[in-house]
Amino acid sequence: MQLNPWAVASVLVVGVVTVYLGRRMSRFASTTHDFLVARRTVRSRRNAAAISGEYISAASFLGVAGLVLKDGADALWYPIGFTAGFLALMIFVAAPLRRSGAYTLPDFLEARLGSPALRTVSTWFVVFIGVLYMLPQLQGAGLALTAITPAPAWIGSVGVMVVIALNVVSGGMRAITLVQAFQYWLKLFAIGVPTFLLCLVFLGGAGSGAAGSLGEQAPPEFTEETTVDIRTPVTLRVAETTLVTVVGEQEALWVPGREYPVSSGTELVFPSGSKVPVVSDGALENASWLRPTETSQDLLWTYSLMLATFLGTMGLPHVLVRFYTNPDGKAARRSTVQVLLLLGLFYLFPVLIGALSRLYVPKLLVTGRTDAAVLELPTAMLPGLLGQLVVAVTAAGAFAAFFSTCSGLLVSVAGVIATDLLGGRVRHFRFAAVAVAAVPAGIAVTLPIDDLSLSVGLSFALAASTFSPLLLLGIWWRGLTWVGAMAGMCVGGGLVLVAVGLNMLSRYTGGWAPWFVTQPALFTVTAAFVTTIVVSRGTARRVPDDVNAVMLRLHAPDPLGFMRDRAVARFGNVDDRERGRAKHRR
Amino acid sequence: MTDEVYRKIDGIREPDPTLGRSVPSRQQTSRPAIPIPSDGDPATLRARRQRVVLAEPSRSPGGLRARVELAQQTSWGELLISDLIKAQLRSGVLLAVLAAFVLGALPLAFYFSPTLATLRFIGLPVPWLLLGIAPFPFLLGVGLWYNRLAERHERDFVNMIEN
């Protein structure tokens, strides 16, 4: 890909603004309280923007458009699930979780169930989910960088990690709250404006793109002789007999119903007018692309995805950690309602971009790099400088997505490690942040890029099968015991990990995995819930003695003043706070 | 609206001492004579005791008793709070089931009715409108509704305790 100087400049600007805002706010951060929960003073409107900014990750900004390009109507369930997750979070978790006064998810579990062992296990799950979720962000950064410059992908991953590590180390949650709120609006702008512009171009072009109209039954086709450079190994299928020239070898006829593995580094030439092949599981015909839920497998897969995203959102560490920053339970609920609005607004745009890219950049279907649709569509539709400028805007938004989600994850994982495994002081937090930043950066550089939303889908499934039963039952059911919680978490998490393993195995041995391996939530979440309830019933005498006091604290309305900050009990750092105030005034 | 109610019944919550700007001023106006203690644990204890201001003259003795019963976990207090939990859970489950039912019906509808899946409305495929746009206002509406219900339950509960 040739160099797009405008896009590089805009990405640099986003990076600089991110660091600048972070440094500015980090002047106010000095205590553990600042670093972990921003002093619990974030107002609901800013918090809503920050939650949305943090939540709209690479999977939302790039991945949704890519999935719509590939799978069509079935992919529309991702944005629905991502948004509906917040409804479940708001209804069942938001206010009680804030009132628990906890600092981190393991802290909440210990407050509720009083078991250090459970705390340790859940700490490791938080770390694991956090790292697993950070990977696609960093890989997305690499992919976005290769779409705008000839630079190698690892520079993008490492660059993003360095920028956010700087911010998080200097000011923790206090520093990143404003950054994330700003980045939500940046992302909305960066996807909204290009979408409007491209839709205008599309309507001006009398509704037909380079590859024909979407209403046609036929698959999209190449309008001119096209050379496609394959960079990651893919398996292709065709809908009609297609003449393909592999550069360096002789021509071949590809027939429907067979799968053609293509290794990386291959160049394929398609003659003008030939139909576009798609990567193995994509929708071949436009007709099936337009139609949701055709087979019973689709149906079950859709329900499984719904369950994973509805319940997974409440188990994501970086989402939960933002709820501790609200002043009280009522504010936590109110900011979630606003998140529903902000997310709904955002998700209208990637869907449109995905649909347009089916018309204009069908060659992405061949390379398997469908996630780059948001970045490649503008240049395909608008030649010349204008297209490059629009790419600069979308690239800025994409990098804002990597920055904000990664920094949220880094804060939550570093917070958990600092309070649970280290001493919980500021220097521990900083040390944990640097250590945690290094791990996913290293993995992202060494592992190949997959579909962003798929690995994100698995993180959702993991979060849904581990933490959502604990949160839901812990908040609303007195009978939960720590043994039951531990058993449920291990069963749910273990099953998802088995599915992840099988999935990777199947990817390297021919893609035989059925739907419940690629999206296992339907079974794993049920198993986790059933295990938790059954084991809790079996160990009913281990129900903590103070369950009523905890329930009162979780559910009593804020004005009664039962809410108590666990930080004071845990760290007792009145002097620490005083020092913080003194620094404040300076 | 809710804040007004709280203020009228003198239920202004004292936020935890770690809260931001507004706190120091309020502390100064209400308790100017208390010196800032220098040592760790007794200070937090005393601060905690200050926060539950039980001896305000304006509060009715009934409200005071209810609060104490809640805090001391008597059987009546327990009953009160479990009633609140049940009310919150009931409305929450009701709305969650509503949302899940509406959204969950969509895949079934498209699966069993191929005509619906290929219908068009002013040139746009109906499934794309139903999946790409319609769910978001719906989810927001359910969210707003739940927020109202939950705040009403909490307000009723506070009113009951205070009076």
Side-chain angles (χ1 to χ4, degrees):
Chain A
M1 187 55 59
Q2 73 275 29
L3 181 72
N4 179 343
W6 302 100
V8 175
S10 74
V11 168
L12 286 179
V13 168
V14 171
V16 169
V17 169
T18 302
V19 172
Y20 169 73
L21 285 178
R23 289 222 78 89
R24 223 184 119 89
M25 294 311 284
S26 64
R27 277 187 305 169
F28 304 116
S30 55
T31 63
T32 314
H33 208 63
D34 285 316
F35 273 77
L36 292 183
V37 290
R39 223 171 260 255
R40 305 205 197 263
T41 50
V42 186
R43 302 277 159 210
S44 73
R45 195 170 301 170
R46 176 175 291 178
N47 214 356
I51 293 172
S52 319
E54 178 173 53
Y55 191 62
I56 294 171
S57 60
S60 298
F61 198 90
L62 301 177
V64 167
L67 279 173
V68 169
L69 162 65
K70 189 165 66 119
D71 295 338
D74 279 327
L76 298 177
W77 282 105
Y78 280 96
I80 297 176
F82 291 159
T83 314
F86 272 97
L87 184 69
L89 179 66
M90 170 202 170
I91 290 182
F92 295 115
V93 176
L97 189 73
R98 167 60 193 99
R99 289 190 195 120
S100 73
Y103 256 64
T104 59
L105 191 55
D107 202 26
F108 167 78
L109 291 178
E110 198 192 7
R112 170 69 179 81
L113 298 167
S115 157
L118 179 69
R119 185 182 182 121
T120 314
V121 173
S122 60
T123 298
W124 287 109
F125 269 111
V126 167
V127 172
F128 188 77
I129 293 177
V131 172
L132 191 68
Y133 205 96
M134 248 185 270
L135 283 183
Q137 315 302 323
L138 297 176
Q139 290 173 337
L143 182 134
L145 197 74
T146 54
I148 56 171
T149 63
W154 65 268
I155 294 184
S157 312
V158 174
V160 164
M161 211 63 203
V162 168
V163 168
I164 61 153
L166 269 180
N167 262 359
V168 170
V169 166
S170 69
M173 192 58 136
R174 183 94 182 190
I176 65 168
T177 299
L178 179 69
V179 178
Q180 288 178 330
F182 159 75
Q183 278 167 344
Y184 168 77
W185 295 107
L186 177 65
K187 279 180 263 189
L188 187 67
F189 172 82
I191 199 143
V193 170
T195 310
F196 273 119
L197 205 62
L198 297 178
C199 281
L200 280 183
V201 173
F202 171 70
L203 294 175
S208 72
S213 157
L214 285 178
E216 289 171 9
Q217 298 290 308
E221 63 178 42
F222 292 114
T223 47
E224 54 196 28
E225 188 175 274
T226 311
T227 308
V228 181
D229 190 5
I230 309 279
R231 291 200 210 160
T232 47
V234 286
T235 308
L236 296 174
R237 289 186 305 154
V238 288
E240 294 174 12
T241 310
T242 312
L243 183 72
V244 186
T245 316
V246 181
V247 171
E249 291 172 37
Q250 62 197 77
E251 293 181 345
L253 271 182
W254 286 9
V255 289
R258 281 194 57 189
E259 298 203 327
Y260 296 91
V262 181
S263 56
S264 73
T266 321
E267 277 186 49
L268 300 176
V269 183
F270 296 92
S272 165
S274 68
K275 308 296 181 196
V276 179
V278 297
V279 279
S280 52
D281 49 348
L284 273 176
E285 305 267 339
N286 271 342
S288 71
W289 182 83
L290 280 169
R291 252 198 72 180
T293 340
E294 283 173 301
T295 61
S296 55
Q297 243 190 31
D298 285 350
L299 195 68
L300 290 170
W301 180 88
T302 307
Y303 283 125
S304 197
L305 176 75
M306 278 165 88
L307 198 62
T309 46
F310 284 20
L311 293 181
T313 306
M314 71 177 66
L316 290 178
H318 65 303
V319 171
L320 287 180
V321 80
R322 283 239 68 100
F323 280 89
Y324 306 121
T325 63
N326 285 295
D328 59 28
K330 197 173 82 172
R333 216 160 32 213
R334 289 196 167 170
S335 51
T336 326
V337 179
Q338 298 175 43
V339 169
L340 289 175
L341 174 68
L342 297 181
L343 288 184
L345 204 60
F346 176 86
Y347 281 125
L348 298 178
F349 300 112
V351 170
L352 276 171
I353 294 242
L356 283 177
S357 31
R358 179 100 180 166
L359 289 177
Y360 288 92
V361 278
K363 73 169 188 188
L364 291 179
L365 289 170
V366 185
T367 55
R369 296 173 73 241
T370 44
D371 289 319
V374 174
L375 298 166
E376 303 215 345
L377 178 66
T379 33
M381 286 182 76
L382 296 167
L385 182 64
L386 188 59
Q388 286 196 354
L389 285 177
V390 177
V391 170
V393 174
T394 54
F399 273 83
F402 312 139
F403 286 137
S404 58
T405 305
C406 272
S407 41
L409 286 162
L410 191 57
V411 165
S412 57
V413 174
V416 164
I417 290 185
T419 48
D420 289 351
L421 305 179
L422 308 171
R425 300 274 165 192
V426 169
R427 65 192 147 86
H428 298 135
F429 178 86
R430 290 191 162 131
F431 172 75
V434 173
V436 171
V439 174
I443 302 178
V445 168
T446 46
L447 274 189
I449 295 177
D450 260 328
D451 274 331
L452 299 179
S453 292
L454 284 186
S455 40
V456 167
L458 279 175
S459 326
F460 270 87
L462 188 57
S465 324
T466 49
F467 290 126
S468 78
L470 304 199
L471 283 167
L472 288 176
L473 296 172
I475 288 174
W476 298 103
W477 186 46
R478 282 162 204 266
L480 183 69
T481 66
W482 74 265
V483 189
M486 180 89 95
M489 187 159 62
C490 292
V491 167
L495 284 178
V496 176
L497 292 184
V498 168
V500 171
L502 285 178
N503 213 5
M504 275 163 110
L505 194 69
S506 112
R507 201 171 282 273
Y508 289 110
T509 55
W512 43 266
W515 65 271
F516 55 83
V517 172
T518 51
Q519 188 44 267
L522 206 55
F523 295 112
T524 56
V525 173
T526 322
F529 267 99
V530 169
T531 315
T532 312
I533 293 175
V534 167
V535 176
S536 290
R537 282 256 181 249
T539 54
R541 62 195 169 82
R542 287 184 195 262
V543 171
D545 301 329
D546 63 343
V547 59
N548 287 323
V550 176
M551 281 298 185
L552 172 72
R553 185 137 47 90
L554 293 183
H555 294 280
D558 310 301
L560 296 179
F562 286 108
M563 187 162 72
R564 194 166 299 156
D565 197 345
R566 271 177 64 77
V568 178
R570 191 174 162 82
F571 302 116
N573 46 4
V574 175
D575 53 338
D576 205 11
R577 261 203 321 276
E578 287 310 312
R579 234 186 309 126
R581 289 225 178 94
K583 194 170 179 184
H584 227 188
R585 279 194 292 270
R586 210 174 336 122
Chain B
M1 157 79 194
T2 56
D3 286 332
E4 274 170 38
V5 172
Y6 292 149
R7 219 165 285 140
K8 210 187 288 168
I9 57 179
D10 197 21
I12 301 175
R13 57 180 178 278
E14 291 279 353
D16 61 85
T18 51
L19 270 182
R21 292 153 226 158
S22 61
V23 176
S25 65
R26 190 177 293 164
Q27 275 177 345
Q28 275 157 21
T29 51
S30 59
R31 287 182 296 276
I34 294 174
I36 296 173
S38 55
D39 51 322
D41 269 349
T44 53
L45 267 181
R46 213 174 302 165
R48 206 178 288 162
R49 212 168 287 147
Q50 288 159 15
R51 221 183 315 138
V52 185
V53 187
L54 298 173
E56 298 239 332
S58 60
R59 190 163 292 140
S60 66
L64 194 149
R65 207 188 68 216
R67 240 173 227 248
V68 172
E69 296 226 15
L70 272 184
Q72 291 181 343
Q73 299 285 313
T74 61
S75 55
W76 183 61
E78 226 182 283
L79 197 69
L80 278 183
I81 197 75
S82 70
D83 275 354
L84 174 71
I85 296 177
K86 266 182 210 148
Q88 297 281 44
L89 187 60
R90 199 178 305 126
S91 51
V93 168
L94 206 72
L95 290 188
V97 166
L98 171 78
F101 183 77
V102 170
L103 292 177
L106 284 175
L108 275 180
F110 294 131
Y111 179 62
F112 285 112
S113 154
T115 44
L116 175 69
T118 48
L119 270 186
R120 276 169 181 266
F121 175 72
I122 48 172
L124 294 166
V126 167
W128 284 68
L129 295 176
L130 282 181
L131 294 178
I133 297 172
F136 302 109
F138 169 71
L139 288 171
L140 177 65
V142 176
L144 283 170
W145 190 7
Y146 176 74
N147 195 32
R148 269 182 60 181
L149 284 180
E151 288 193 0
R152 187 190 299 156
H153 289 149
E154 293 191 349
R155 213 160 47 230
D156 290 349
F157 186 79
V158 173
N159 282 344
M160 189 184 66
I161 294 293
E162 301 290 339
N163 302 317

